[in-house]
Amino acid sequence: MAANVHHYSFILKETNFTRLCFTKPMLTVNESFPGPTIHVRKGDRAFVNVHNNGKYGVTIHWHGVKQPHNPWSDGPENITQCPIQPGKNFTYEVIFSDEEGTLWWHAHSDWSRATVHGHIVILPERGKTYPFSEPYAEQTIFLGSWFDTDVKELIDDATATGSDPEASTGFTINGWPGALYNCSNETIYTLGVEYGQTYLLRLVSGVMNEEMFFGIAGHNFTVVAQDASYLKPIVTSYIMIAPGQTMDILLTADQTPSYYYIAASPFFDSNAPFDNTTTTAILRYTNVTSAPSTIPMPSLPFVTDKEAVDNFTAQLRALASKEHPISVPKNFTERIIISVSVNQLPCEANVTCGGPNGNRLAASLNNISFSTPTTDILQAYYRNLNDTYEDDFPNQPPVYFNFSGVDTELYLLPEVGTKLKMIEYGASIEILYQGTNVGNAENHPMHLHGYSFYVVGSAYGNWNETTSPATYNLVDPPEVNTVGVPKNGWTAIRFVANNPGVWFMHCHLERHSSWGMNSVIIVKNGPTNGTSIRRPPPNLPVCA
């Protein structure tokens, strides 16, 4: 069946918004926060014309959309394109393939995704159904961060001094902070439900720097998908969702009709500063005309409750049914071991830096802190302009040590560079992310553009080449695009490199990405036009 084609117009402009008695102009799409939802079916494509009427250059990324052979429309600034400058426009061609469920789009320039973001809803192909009973209705739920300050000024100031950016003022559900903040009257989202009906909640975490627990008072629910890939159903009273991840949840309104709080609060097991607040919304049964004197609140895990996180994530298994099969690489062509660290760089002469010990905060993969170039890597690669990057990102850390145990200044200093990893088309790849105790250890949600991958293993401590692979799940591992690497632990992923292009790989904690916890993989062209990168579109933004 021929794919449907959809057309959207995104107008980026500064619009005044008031939250928590604070009004500020902020960059949004079509004057909405969150922005508009893109609706497609599996295998469709969408043309999104982005007009930038803002004050600075911006790009848009279609998070989790594989964009087969089409990295030109993937979006990360100076990786696959230069920014759309103020007064200019660019039409993205968003090509959907095997994704089905919930994804999202967001700006991919500095910290502008804090306000420039929205859902992508991918329905099954016509004539096909969900692998669960048809819900009565669907609702998008977006978890976000609210800053009383201008987010571009915030990260620009922090970058100038090498300091830790200020934490957000609060969190939001569908753009509203909720009832627990000062000056929060009438700033709460309400979800109306009918008793006895089942609803599909499409949950996105666009939070900037914290993983989140999420729950609904008095109600269990069933998690049926993550990152637009179906799961074996998980019945639970809470979830833990990292920045960049999505989850599809079935909620049955089967409790005494009343008002119930929906809430999200952080999971944060680190010494770094963070936003330790709770955002709320209201689940309101229809025909209930007034709220009870006390609205029940969900009992979410404590902010440092790693056991609650592990209990939830251990249940994530691919549906792996006949209608929704998976194809896990049982063997691999190449294994890439990547140490993940927070680091420090020495302060420049005649500059006062705000990081620890008067240094500049940094972050790295394999002890290389990524330096984003001033022109985009995809064009440089496509046109053989090799002075933009180096293609020698290493397959292993430069030094092996007790990654999860050592906390010493010996390993604080990274190399700075624009180093990429070249991968042969069709190769079966295993990436082993090894968290370290260097700098400030915490959970790292790692995201790879252009691919979904199978999470075949994860544990605390140091990965062991002999014993760790024996624990892998090669039967029904979840297929995702963003995965949390546990604090002082490791995560192993596998995928087949069948999508040629230039693809960004980074931590989705915005602080860490800003500090250099990034790299790029380049999957080379295959032997035919059908296994090669498409030609570039004629109207690519020009590098300033």
Side-chain angles (χ1 to χ4, degrees):
M1 183 179 297
N4 290 321
V5 177
H6 310 261
H7 295 270
Y8 290 87
S9 180
F10 281 12
I11 310 297
L12 279 162
K13 62 176 291 189
E14 299 272 339
T15 305
N16 283 336
F17 282 81
T18 301
R19 299 289 186 273
L20 308 180
C21 291
F22 184 88
T23 300
K24 68 170 186 177
M26 63 190 204
L27 190 68
T28 59
V29 168
N30 298 355
E31 301 186 25
S32 59
F33 175 68
T37 297
I38 289 178
H39 293 271
V40 297
R41 289 190 179 272
K42 181 179 178 179
D44 286 356
R45 67 184 59 201
F47 290 89
V48 186
N49 193 354
V50 178
H51 304 259
N52 186 3
N53 295 340
K55 298 186 295 186
Y56 51 87
V58 180
T59 65
I60 304 291
H61 170 53
W62 319 94
H63 185 114
V65 182
K66 297 180 182 68
Q67 295 277 30
H69 315 287
N70 186 35
W72 305 105
S73 284
D74 189 49
E77 181 174 315
N78 289 352
I79 306 298
T80 61
Q81 69 168 100
C82 292
I84 306 166
Q85 295 299 332
K88 303 293 185 180
N89 72 291
F90 174 61
T91 299
Y92 290 90
E93 182 178 2
V94 187
I95 302 173
F96 297 89
S97 53
D98 58 356
E99 307 90 356
E100 182 175 323
T102 304
L103 294 173
W104 64 302
W105 59 266
H106 61 82
H108 215 301
S109 304
D110 295 316
W111 279 31
S112 49
R113 78 167 177 85
T115 60
V116 178
H117 54 241
H119 272 75
I120 301 174
V121 172
I122 309 166
L123 298 175
E125 297 172 285
R126 291 195 182 276
K128 300 290 182 67
T129 61
Y130 298 121
F132 45 81
S133 297
E134 189 81 14
Y136 176 73
E138 301 185 6
Q139 179 59 54
T140 55
I141 304 288
F142 198 100
L143 304 182
S145 298
W146 173 262
F147 294 84
D148 279 351
T149 53
D150 181 282
V151 288
K152 188 169 191 327
E153 292 178 6
L154 182 148
I155 187 55
D156 285 350
D157 290 347
T159 301
T161 61
S163 58
D164 206 345
E166 293 179 24
S168 54
T169 311
F171 301 111
T172 58
I173 296 176
N174 284 356
W176 296 99
L180 302 185
Y181 296 92
N182 292 331
C183 193
S184 58
N185 292 338
E186 300 178 3
T187 65
I188 194 162
Y189 169 75
T190 299
L191 172 61
V193 295
E194 293 187 19
Y195 180 81
Q197 300 292 356
T198 297
Y199 296 81
L200 175 59
L201 306 183
R202 298 182 177 274
L203 182 66
V204 169
S205 179
V207 170
M208 296 294 279
N209 289 303
E210 293 88 3
E211 286 93 4
M212 302 294 287
F213 291 116
F214 173 90
I216 302 172
H219 294 73
N220 285 342
F221 44 78
T222 304
V223 183
V224 292
Q226 181 181 11
D227 288 359
S229 184
Y230 291 116
L231 299 170
K232 290 181 171 64
I234 303 167
V235 179
T236 182
S237 63
Y238 71 92
I239 64 168
M240 195 286 286
I241 186 168
Q245 292 180 332
T246 73
M247 291 190 184
D248 289 1
I249 295 166
L250 292 174
L251 169 71
T252 299
D254 57 2
Q255 299 300 301
T256 301
S258 185
Y259 284 54
Y260 298 86
Y261 273 127
I262 304 168
S265 61
F267 164 67
F268 203 86
D269 187 17
S270 171
N271 296 320
F274 70 102
D275 182 347
N276 192 15
T277 64
T278 299
T279 178
T280 57
I282 289 176
L283 182 77
R284 180 180 61 81
Y285 282 68
T286 55
N287 301 322
V288 176
T289 55
S290 60
S293 56
T294 301
I295 301 175
M297 177 70 73
S299 180
L300 295 177
F302 187 64
V303 64
T304 59
D305 193 343
K306 289 196 297 185
E307 185 177 354
V309 173
D310 297 341
N311 287 342
F312 174 70
T313 56
Q315 299 178 72
L316 298 171
R317 304 273 175 154
L319 182 59
S321 65
K322 180 180 178 181
E323 294 78 15
H324 299 280
I326 61 174
S327 182
V328 188
K330 297 297 192 292
N331 301 294
F332 56 87
T333 310
E334 186 173 18
R335 173 182 280 154
I336 307 165
I337 303 174
I338 300 178
S339 59
V340 184
S341 301
V342 174
N343 306 90
Q344 295 173 30
L345 289 167
C347 197
E348 303 91 335
N350 302 316
V351 175
T352 301
C353 288
N357 309 311
N359 290 330
R360 178 179 290 278
L361 282 164
S364 66
L365 299 177
N366 274 352
N367 210 45
I368 299 165
S369 187
F370 188 78
S371 175
T372 304
T374 54
T375 185
D376 74 277
I377 293 171
L378 175 56
Q379 286 203 65
Y381 170 67
Y382 192 80
R383 305 185 194 285
N384 294 313
L385 307 175
N386 295 330
D387 58 344
T388 301
Y389 60 86
E390 299 173 272
D391 61 2
D392 58 350
F393 183 86
N395 267 20
Q396 58 185 341
V399 178
Y400 280 84
F401 58 96
N402 182 7
F403 295 111
S404 60
V406 168
D407 182 9
T408 171
E409 294 185 3
L410 184 63
Y411 305 107
L412 271 178
L413 182 65
E415 176 185 354
V416 177
T418 309
K419 291 182 180 290
L420 322 180
K421 173 62 184 174
M422 306 295 294
I423 293 177
E424 296 294 330
Y425 180 87
S428 294
I429 301 297
E430 177 174 306
I431 296 180
L432 188 284
Y433 295 110
Q434 174 66 64
T436 75
N437 202 33
V438 175
N440 202 351
E442 60 185 283
N443 187 299
H444 299 288
M446 298 301 299
H447 173 49
L448 176 60
H449 292 219
Y451 286 87
S452 290
F453 48 79
Y454 296 102
V455 182
V456 296
S458 190
Y460 293 107
N462 298 330
W463 180 82
N464 180 283
E465 186 175 7
T466 302
T467 60
S468 296
T471 69
Y472 286 5
N473 172 16
L474 300 179
V475 177
D476 58 356
E479 185 179 6
V480 300
N481 61 61
T482 305
V483 63
V485 180
K487 176 183 176 181
N488 289 328
W490 58 268
T491 295
I493 69 171
R494 287 187 181 179
F495 63 95
V496 176
N498 55 7
N499 190 14
V502 172
W503 306 111
F504 201 31
M505 176 175 63
H506 61 98
C507 180
H508 225 280
L509 300 181
E510 217 61 26
R511 295 157 51 245
H512 293 172
S513 185
S514 298
W515 296 341
M517 194 176 283
N518 318 313
S519 188
V520 171
I521 68 167
I522 294 183
V523 177
K524 298 178 183 178
N525 285 338
T528 66
N529 287 339
T531 57
S532 300
I533 299 174
R534 296 173 49 177
R535 292 179 180 274
N539 59 337
L540 274 173
V542 176
C543 298

